[in-house]
Amino acid sequence: MYSCKVCSKTIHVDRYMCRKCAREQGRLDKPHVFEDIPTAKTLEEVIAQYKYWSKWNDFHITMPATMIKLMEELGEMAHAVHRGNKEGIVDAMADVFITLCKVPIAMNCDMPELVLKVWEQVRQRDYKTYPEGRPK
């Protein structure tokens, strides 16, 4: 259990203040952040919504925190693989992906652009012809 730093009310997540105090101080636009926002359909939309969602929930995105969360999610995925839990694997895989969406926010870079650039390099590799890598 945690407590709001403004009113001392007990809150269930580690954040600076409760939603009521945040709303009163103008830190929140409305009580239900995503009710009017359409479901994300692209990676760019997921990242944009994640930025907004993380502000709403007072999450401070840093690379060390992101790496810790990523390792936690990978651990859950490894556990699901070990148990042969297909539903758990799929759920953990989505959690890993969403956690990876924090990286471009923390690094202030364009993830979709970066993925496309690196994919262009990766897709040029021919491991059947050069199983040990291209000769230098």
Side-chain angles (χ1 to χ4, degrees):
M1 295 291 189
Y2 303 94
S3 62
C4 174
K5 306 300 186 263
V6 177
C7 70
S8 300
K9 173 185 169 190
T10 300
I11 53 180
H12 298 281
V13 292
D14 183 16
R15 65 175 113 156
Y16 185 76
M17 67 179 79
C18 68
R19 290 182 192 270
K20 182 178 178 238
C21 290
R23 200 173 301 111
E24 287 171 358
Q25 292 186 9
R27 295 192 65 211
L28 302 179
D29 298 328
K30 52 187 166 180
H32 302 288
V33 68
F34 281 106
E35 66 186 18
D36 297 329
I37 298 175
T39 302
K41 292 183 174 46
T42 66
L43 181 58
E44 291 90 345
E45 290 174 353
V46 170
I47 293 170
Q49 287 186 7
Y50 194 94
K51 284 180 189 179
Y52 189 68
W53 178 85
S54 63
K55 279 184 184 179
W56 170 267
N57 287 291
D58 289 330
F59 291 142
H60 304 287
I61 299 172
T62 64
M63 277 309 292
T66 299
M67 290 308 299
I68 290 168
K69 182 66 175 167
L70 184 59
M71 293 301 105
E72 175 190 336
E73 299 299 350
L74 284 170
E76 288 178 15
M77 189 172 177
H79 182 75
V81 168
H82 177 71
R83 298 281 184 211
N85 179 351
K86 185 176 179 180
E87 186 178 309
I89 294 167
V90 171
D91 182 65
M93 186 171 46
D95 287 343
V96 166
F97 182 80
I98 290 168
T99 302
L100 281 172
C101 287
K102 294 179 179 182
V103 174
I105 298 167
M107 302 276 303
N108 196 24
C109 67
D110 184 348
M111 183 69 140
E113 181 181 306
L114 182 61
V115 168
L116 291 173
K117 177 182 173 186
V118 173
W119 171 242
E120 194 54 37
Q121 295 168 2
V122 169
R123 74 180 197 92
Q124 300 296 322
R125 298 175 186 157
D126 182 354
Y127 291 105
K128 283 190 175 183
T129 305
Y130 304 104
E132 303 297 320
R134 288 189 181 263
K136 297 186 183 201

